[in-house]
Amino acid sequence: MGSVVDAPVVVEGVAENMLGDKKVTVVFVLGGPGSGKGTQCANIVEHFGFTHLSAGDLLRAEIKSGSENGTMIENMIKEGKIVPSEVTIKLLQDAMIKNENDKFLIDGFPRNEENRAAFENVTKISPAFVLFFDCSEEEMERRLLGRNQGRVDDNIETIRKRFKVFVDSSLPVIEHYNAKDKVKKIDAAKPISEVFEVVKAIFAPYAKLGIQLLAPDKISWIRVMEWLNRDKKRTTEGTNGGVLSEKALLECDYISVI
Ligand SMILES: Nc1ncnc2c1ncn2[C@@H]1O[C@H](COP(=O)(O)OP(=O)(O)OP(=O)(O)O)[C@@H](O)[C@H]1O
Ligand SMILES: Nc1ccn([C@H]2C[C@H](O)[C@@H](COP(=O)(O)O)O2)c(=O)n1
């Protein structure tokens, strides 16, 4: 008689087995090689207080550390191939456990269906959403050949293999999340600052700090709001005694509390 295996319970943004009761927000950052994932993640970290976990960086650090998997990982990266899920998931899991933050950008993962299913099964986390940087191969190739970071895979032969792996294995993962309405697709061919404007709007709900302005009465609060909104650049939200987002604060020259 066969045994009954429970279907994995995947709770959005909550890791039950891995991080105890700690609730985490996870955003997967996907896109072809050179689409600008790492560049935009650095901006998101600075403005929205996420921790950036790049699967590729973790694997490269593992090679450098001289671990027993190092040679296998290095060979796979040189070939543009995807490292077995258990290796990458262990690195991501350890990094999340060590970090006190509860908001993570997971960059370059899941790269294939095996990565995706294994991560959900092991961690019980499903992403809040998937940020997808969409860019042409021509532009990505130009960027990678100009990156100059001494990466073993930034050569034309490996770049072409990585493009093929992206189309064959990573696009289906994006399709999976798209069917669940979780993909936020961004035109990544634009200049860095323009791409970040779009990213910023998506992350606005995760603004890392707010300030509470306490006005003594409704009229005073309306005056605060009017003052902040005087210039179209200043956008505010909230009601009497409401909380101003970091975005609103950054766009104000100064705040005076009435
Ligand atoms: N919007 C952009 N316009 C022009 N150049 C960019 C843009 N975004 C990133 N770059 C440059 O392109 C190169 C690749 O960017 P980045 O490392 O962020 O890509 P990536 O998607 O993380 O790549 P990989 O998947 O290979 O790690 C870098 O040299 C970066 O400075
Ligand atoms: N989930 C992942 C992420 C990355 N790798 C390997 C294979 C990639 O070509 C390489 C570089 O990743 P990048 O820095 O471009 O995100 O790392 C993998 O096997 N599995």
Side-chain angles (χ1 to χ4, degrees):
M1 191 169 50
S3 59
V4 177
V5 179
D6 284 339
V9 181
V10 176
V11 185
E12 186 151 320
V14 180
E16 286 176 321
N17 64 343
M18 191 184 93
L19 305 170
D21 285 340
K22 183 176 165 188
K23 286 191 178 188
V24 292
T25 299
V26 164
V27 174
F28 287 150
V29 183
L30 299 176
S35 57
K37 301 180 294 295
T39 303
Q40 295 299 330
C41 282
N43 286 334
I44 299 166
V45 166
E46 190 186 332
H47 286 77
F48 298 101
F50 276 69
T51 291
H52 176 206
L53 299 179
S54 155
D57 285 350
L58 290 169
L59 290 166
R60 283 183 285 273
E62 190 67 1
I63 298 171
K64 272 204 186 140
S65 76
S67 93
E68 55 178 341
N69 282 325
T71 309
M72 177 274 289
I73 297 172
E74 187 168 24
N75 288 335
M76 297 207 77
I77 288 182
K78 273 187 194 152
E79 284 301 310
K81 290 183 180 160
I82 298 174
V83 173
S85 298
E86 63 266 25
V87 174
T88 317
I89 290 171
K90 173 87 172 66
L91 294 172
L92 288 168
Q93 208 173 346
D94 288 351
M96 287 172 85
I97 290 168
K98 266 190 226 146
N99 199 297
E100 286 190 355
N101 202 347
D102 59 358
K103 295 187 288 184
F104 296 95
L105 295 169
I106 302 196
D107 164 8
F109 185 97
R111 274 295 223 279
N112 60 12
E113 186 53 26
E114 189 211 354
N115 271 183
R116 184 196 67 72
F119 183 83
E120 290 195 353
N121 281 332
V122 171
T123 68
K124 311 284 186 266
I125 296 173
S126 107
F129 61 91
V130 175
L131 208 53
F132 168 37
F133 290 104
D134 188 31
C135 195
S136 69
E137 287 192 1
E138 192 188 19
E139 173 63 13
M140 293 192 291
E141 184 178 305
R142 198 180 58 75
R143 291 180 189 176
L144 292 174
L145 291 175
R147 181 155 58 179
N148 277 329
Q149 286 178 359
R151 278 179 51 163
V152 292
D153 53 352
D154 278 351
N155 59 77
I156 194 63
E157 197 188 332
T158 313
I159 288 170
R160 298 258 156 90
K161 288 181 183 165
R162 288 156 73 199
F163 285 162
K164 181 161 170 33
V165 168
F166 176 70
V167 171
D168 293 348
S169 304
S170 308
L171 278 181
V173 174
I174 294 163
E175 278 310 312
H176 170 92
Y177 287 116
N178 201 28
K180 294 176 177 269
D181 218 13
K182 283 202 168 189
V183 175
K184 299 190 190 291
K185 180 171 163 177
I186 291 173
D187 178 0
K190 294 185 175 157
I192 293 173
S193 59
E194 286 182 35
V195 175
F196 190 54
E197 282 308 307
V198 181
V199 169
K200 256 203 302 199
I202 291 171
F203 278 85
Y206 298 95
K208 66 182 171 189
L209 72 97
I211 188 170
Q212 192 162 30
L213 286 184
L214 292 174
D217 54 52
K218 198 168 177 190
I219 299 295
S220 307
W221 180 252
I222 290 168
R223 280 172 46 214
V224 173
M225 287 292 124
E226 280 173 351
W227 177 77
L228 290 171
N229 285 312
R230 212 174 34 192
D231 175 335
K232 281 268 180 289
K233 234 174 43 167
R234 296 174 176 140
T235 52
T236 54
E237 54 200 40
T239 54
N240 187 13
V243 177
L244 289 181
S245 68
E246 186 195 24
K247 180 172 184 291
L249 288 172
L250 288 174
E251 287 170 351
C252 291
D253 299 324
Y254 62 94
I255 299 277
S256 75
V257 182
I258 298 177

